[in-house]
Amino acid sequence: MTRGVSPAIGHCELTHLEREPIDVEVTRAQHGTYERVLRDLGCQVEHLAEEPDLPDSVFVEDIAVVLDEVAIITRPGAESRRGERSSIQRALEPHRRLEHIRAPGILDGGDVLVVQKDIYVGLSTRSDDEAVRQLKLIVADLGYTVTGVEVRGCLHLKSAVTAVSEDTLLINPDWIDAADLPGHAFIQVDPTERSAANVVWVGDTVLFAADFPRTGERLSDAGFRTLPVDASELAKAEGALTCCSLIFEAPDRNA
Ligand code: CIR
């Protein structure tokens, strides 16, 4: 599931970046390529209409956590993003039973890394212990463990670490302690490419941001099939690759 780029993206939330002009058409072109790559990899892309008044609404990942059994609509840490929920909720209703993170909890999907039955939640400026507590209750009977982990220096947990296979994580060790994610193998980003840990793993392929070729090379050296995707304009809005989609199994749909 994706959503078109808002014409207001230039007014996006920024935490670690200085504001610079964002070219909406270039952003749309990059986003279109991203969707095409997902289709080429066998995904059925459900493209939601853009939201002209919601600058960050292309970053659908933050609004829901979709597990096989349930989808959890988040309560985004940035107040300006809370209006993004209603349309995502409507779009997910046909696919999953829905649950919600409720006030005072805050949670961005970018802070939620699901690795098989382990759910890690980044304790960032956007997600808190109260959301972790609620999430634990929601998944209590589903066999998941939920663990809050400290992140530093980056926006979200998935800025610092994402999965590239069932047991291997790509990590920037400056932003998170690998010891907080026990039982996994790690590949480190190239030290000159701080934001490179955010990759999208689909089937047998890992999509990485074209701005980070050295990390891409590390992944291919480790035996992964990789594909670069240009997301440089989206990056000016502090968005990375995972943020632009919610990827889940939809057995109720024809492929
Ligand atoms: C924000 O600050 O909320 C947006 N400008 C960027 C969100 C990126 N989302 C993500 O990494 N999951």
Side-chain angles (χ1 to χ4, degrees):
M1 186 172 289
T2 62
R3 169 147 55 199
V5 175
S6 170
I9 190 167
H11 302 289
C12 63
E13 293 285 337
L14 289 175
T15 307
H16 296 281
L17 294 185
E18 292 293 318
R19 194 168 297 281
E20 55 180 313
I22 298 178
D23 186 316
V24 176
E25 288 316 313
V26 173
T27 313
R28 286 186 171 142
Q30 291 180 351
H31 187 256
T33 303
Y34 174 87
E35 290 177 320
R36 184 178 49 70
V37 169
L38 289 178
R39 277 191 198 96
D40 289 349
L41 292 173
C43 298
Q44 178 183 340
V45 175
E46 186 171 340
H47 174 104
L48 307 182
E50 65 187 54
E51 295 267 13
D53 299 328
L54 295 169
D56 280 306
S57 50
V58 66
F59 302 123
V60 290
E61 168 185 65
D62 293 319
I63 309 305
V65 177
V66 186
L67 304 175
D68 287 345
E69 305 86 349
V70 60
I72 299 118
I73 305 296
T74 64
R75 182 167 179 271
E79 210 178 326
S80 69
R81 301 201 56 190
R82 297 196 183 138
E84 296 176 32
R85 290 174 291 182
S86 49
S87 51
I88 295 287
Q89 172 167 334
R90 273 197 307 280
L92 284 173
E93 250 159 15
H95 300 293
R96 291 293 188 276
R97 171 170 72 83
L98 297 184
E99 295 281 355
H100 299 263
I101 298 297
R102 300 187 191 278
I106 52 167
L107 184 71
D108 276 10
D111 274 317
V112 182
L113 174 66
V114 182
V115 189
Q116 309 218 65
K117 287 289 186 181
D118 293 320
I119 302 179
Y120 299 103
V121 182
L123 299 172
S124 68
T125 55
R126 300 290 180 86
S127 303
D128 65 6
D129 282 317
E130 169 59 16
V132 172
R133 188 190 69 78
Q134 293 182 28
L135 196 53
K136 280 184 179 165
L137 290 177
I138 291 169
V139 302
D141 297 330
L142 301 175
Y144 294 92
T145 58
V146 183
T147 312
V149 294
E150 300 292 336
V151 292
R152 51 180 179 267
C154 59
L155 180 59
H156 287 130
L157 174 68
K158 277 189 277 192
S159 320
V161 59
T162 55
V164 292
S165 73
E166 283 184 356
D167 59 5
T168 304
L169 306 179
L170 178 66
I171 187 170
N172 176 342
D174 290 341
W175 288 345
I176 187 170
D177 290 326
D180 288 339
L181 309 158
H184 305 286
F186 293 97
I187 297 175
Q188 294 193 4
V189 298
D190 184 278
T192 63
E193 298 178 343
R194 290 154 54 86
S195 302
N198 187 279
V199 296
V200 174
W201 164 39
V202 188
D204 65 350
T205 304
V206 178
L207 309 183
F208 68 97
D211 279 341
F212 307 123
R214 293 178 175 165
T215 299
E217 208 173 302
R218 285 187 180 209
L219 290 170
S220 39
D221 288 350
F224 292 93
R225 178 176 188 268
T226 58
L227 212 54
V229 178
D230 185 3
S232 51
E233 205 64 17
L234 288 155
K236 293 179 185 169
E238 225 166 329
L241 293 183
T242 61
C243 343
C244 295
S245 56
L246 286 164
I247 297 180
F248 55 90
E249 298 276 341
D252 49 331
R253 288 290 186 96
N254 294 323

